[in-house]
Amino acid sequence: MIIINSDLLDLFLAPITGLGDDNESVEYYRKLKIQDKNDYKKIINEIIVEEFEELNEQQKLNAKLVLSYYLTSNAIDFERVFESVLPPFDPPYPVRNFFLWIWECIFLNESYEFTEEYYKIIK
């Protein structure tokens, strides 16, 4: 049995974690009027991608595997994960899209499908 630690999804959300308690951040994102995929992708590219790139290679690999697994399996409540970090803006609907767009922005043309190769890496 393979156990996938969902806490590693927080590595992607670290740049926005706790900003829901910061009035300046909340006001900043409110003024952006985030409404669609492009607005969310702009935020992801501006703050999440940059911080992800600063992780070490093992952290990147682990986070990638976890995100791939949960996007493929739908075995997690993405809304709970998103809201648990107290972000400064509301998520899209469905919330899974936010995590899918993170994948698209960081891993570009790679498929997020959790493959047999990933199982070999974990084992």
Side-chain angles (χ1 to χ4, degrees), residues 50-66:
E50 183 178 324
E51 191 150 325
F52 181 81
E53 290 303 320
E54 293 178 13
L55 299 174
N56 68 48
E57 292 307 312
Q58 189 61 53
Q59 289 174 310
K60 287 179 188 177
L61 177 60
N62 291 344
K64 180 180 182 179
L65 292 174
V66 167

Side-chain angles (χ1 to χ4, degrees), residues 34-109:
I34 305 165
Q35 298 177 334
D36 62 20
K37 174 182 180 175
N38 293 328
D39 296 334
Y40 283 103
K41 280 189 152 188
K42 183 176 180 186
I43 291 168
I44 291 166
N45 279 314
E46 286 177 357
I47 61 173
I48 293 176
V49 172
E50 183 178 324
E51 191 150 325
F52 181 81
E53 290 303 320
E54 293 178 13
L55 299 174
N56 68 48
E57 292 307 312
Q58 189 61 53
Q59 289 174 310
K60 287 179 188 177
L61 177 60
N62 291 344
K64 180 180 182 179
L65 292 174
V66 167
L67 184 56
S68 171
Y69 175 78
Y70 284 115
L71 286 172
T72 301
S73 70
N74 289 317
I76 197 166
D77 181 351
F78 285 109
E79 184 174 2
R80 183 194 58 76
V81 173
F82 185 87
E83 295 295 342
S84 73
V85 300
L86 299 172
F89 51 84
D90 292 330
Y93 182 81
V95 181
R96 179 184 180 276
N97 285 347
F98 188 76
F99 292 87
L100 178 60
W101 299 331
I102 289 173
W103 180 276
E104 291 173 356
C105 290
I106 294 175
F107 305 112
L108 305 175
N109 297 324

Side-chain angles (χ1 to χ4, degrees), residues 3-16:
I3 297 173
I4 305 292
N5 185 350
S6 63
D7 290 345
L8 289 173
L9 291 175
D10 291 348
L11 288 174
F12 295 104
L13 302 177
I16 59 171

